[in-house]
């Protein structure tokens, strides 16, 4: 029996075809083509926003993270080496931007009194989003994990939030496939424990 287009292989093949135009734009942008960079940013923006929303349930925060991620792409595209797919590199940028936005949002929420603090029994949607929801709890758990076992964070984020496959993660992080699987397994155990406590 040869390979068929049934099962899980089909979506990967069609995704690769769709991504080829983006990959080409990324290569041209990396080499200094400004018009390619503009087109690349325009093309990836909806996907970047969708991925940021996986981390941040409050739309305004996801939009802030999206803008930060696009700015990082524009500033750092020359650092994209091309030995992995651009979309793989992009997922790392997006996850870092979303987590950084969350930290900034949390810090701002702690520093400035909100309307909800001044008026009893009213909730500010931003404060509510920080307190409620499993994604926010997960971000807290990831912050804790980063302090305790920083080498477990990137593989876990790339697998469980960015939904990259194990081989892509191994290539992106330049570590062995077995190490990737082991770190994801360990990371999940730590995060489960942290989520059970919150």
């Amino acid at each position: 029996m040869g390979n068929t287009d049934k099962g899980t292989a089909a979506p990967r093949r069609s995704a690769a075809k769709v991504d080829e135009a983006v990959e080409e734009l990324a290569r041209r942008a990396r080499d200094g083509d400004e018009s390619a960079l503009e087109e690349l940013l325009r093309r990836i923006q909806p996907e970047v926003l969708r991925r940021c929303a996986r981390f941040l349930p409050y739309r305004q925060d996801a939009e802030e993270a999206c803008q930060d991620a696009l700015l990082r792409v524009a500033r750092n595209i020359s650092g994209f080496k091309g030995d992995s797919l651009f979309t793989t590199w992009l997922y790392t940028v997006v996850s870092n931007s979303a987590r950084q936005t969350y930290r900034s949002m949390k810090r701002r929420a702690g520093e400035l009194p909100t309307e909800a603090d001044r008026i009893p029994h009213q909730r500010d949607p931003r404060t509510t989003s920080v307190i409620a929801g499993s994604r926010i709890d997960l971000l807290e758990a990831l912050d804790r994990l980063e302090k305790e076992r920083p080498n477990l964070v990137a593989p876990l984020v790339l697998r469980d939030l960015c939904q990259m496959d194990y081989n892509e993660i191994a290539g992106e992080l330049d570590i062995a496939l077995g190490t990737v699987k082991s770190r994801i397994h360990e990371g999940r155990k730590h995060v489960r424990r942290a989520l059970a406590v919150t």
Side-chain angles (χ1 to χ4, degrees):
M1 286 190 152
N3 285 344
T4 65
D5 284 345
K6 293 179 181 173
T8 57
R12 267 234 174 262
R13 277 194 203 112
S14 61
K17 287 178 189 170
V18 171
D19 290 344
E20 191 49 47
V22 169
E23 297 296 328
E24 176 60 27
L25 283 170
R27 286 189 289 273
R28 288 175 36 213
R30 177 197 63 202
D31 295 339
D33 184 334
E34 288 294 322
S35 64
L37 177 60
E38 286 176 27
E39 177 64 12
L40 175 68
L41 294 174
R42 187 187 69 71
R43 299 260 311 252
I44 65 173
Q45 191 270 341
E47 177 66 10
V48 169
L49 179 57
R50 188 177 70 75
R51 289 189 176 275
C52 287
R54 282 191 180 154
F55 288 85
L56 300 160
Y58 188 55
R59 182 162 178 88
Q60 207 172 346
D61 297 330
E63 288 171 352
E64 184 178 325
C66 175
Q67 289 307 309
D68 179 60
L70 293 173
L71 185 61
R72 286 182 191 212
V73 169
R75 285 183 177 161
N76 300 314
I77 190 70
S78 61
F80 167 59
K81 295 182 181 117
D83 42 2
S84 66
L85 290 173
F86 167 74
T87 48
T88 302
W89 181 80
L90 178 63
Y91 295 160
T92 304
V93 172
V94 169
S95 67
N96 289 339
S97 293
R99 292 175 62 226
Q100 184 57 46
T101 298
Y102 168 70
R103 288 185 196 114
S104 298
M105 174 185 77
K106 185 177 161 189
R107 190 174 51 250
R108 286 191 308 253
E111 291 169 357
L112 299 171
T114 63
E115 208 51 40
D117 295 328
R118 292 190 283 275
I119 302 170
H121 308 301
Q122 276 196 332
R123 294 203 166 239
D124 177 0
R126 178 177 293 271
T127 306
T128 303
S129 77
V130 172
I131 296 166
S134 61
R135 283 178 284 182
I136 297 302
D137 295 338
L138 176 60
L139 287 168
E140 281 293 320
L142 287 171
D143 274 354
R144 239 175 277 140
L145 181 61
E146 192 156 40
K147 289 174 189 151
E148 296 168 15
R149 301 279 305 276
N151 64 327
L152 303 181
V153 175
L156 183 63
V157 166
L158 293 175
R159 177 66 187 157
D160 289 352
L161 291 169
C162 296
Q163 298 180 329
M164 288 171 56
D165 71 31
Y166 293 106
N167 289 316
E168 286 177 309
I169 296 167
E172 177 64 19
L173 300 178
D174 196 25
I175 55 179
L177 184 60
T179 305
V180 167
K181 291 179 178 180
S182 170
R183 288 182 182 177
I184 290 169
H185 178 72
E186 274 301 303
R188 284 174 177 161
K189 283 198 312 194
H190 281 267
V191 165
R192 273 191 214 106
R193 277 198 297 270
L195 292 175
V197 171
T198 56

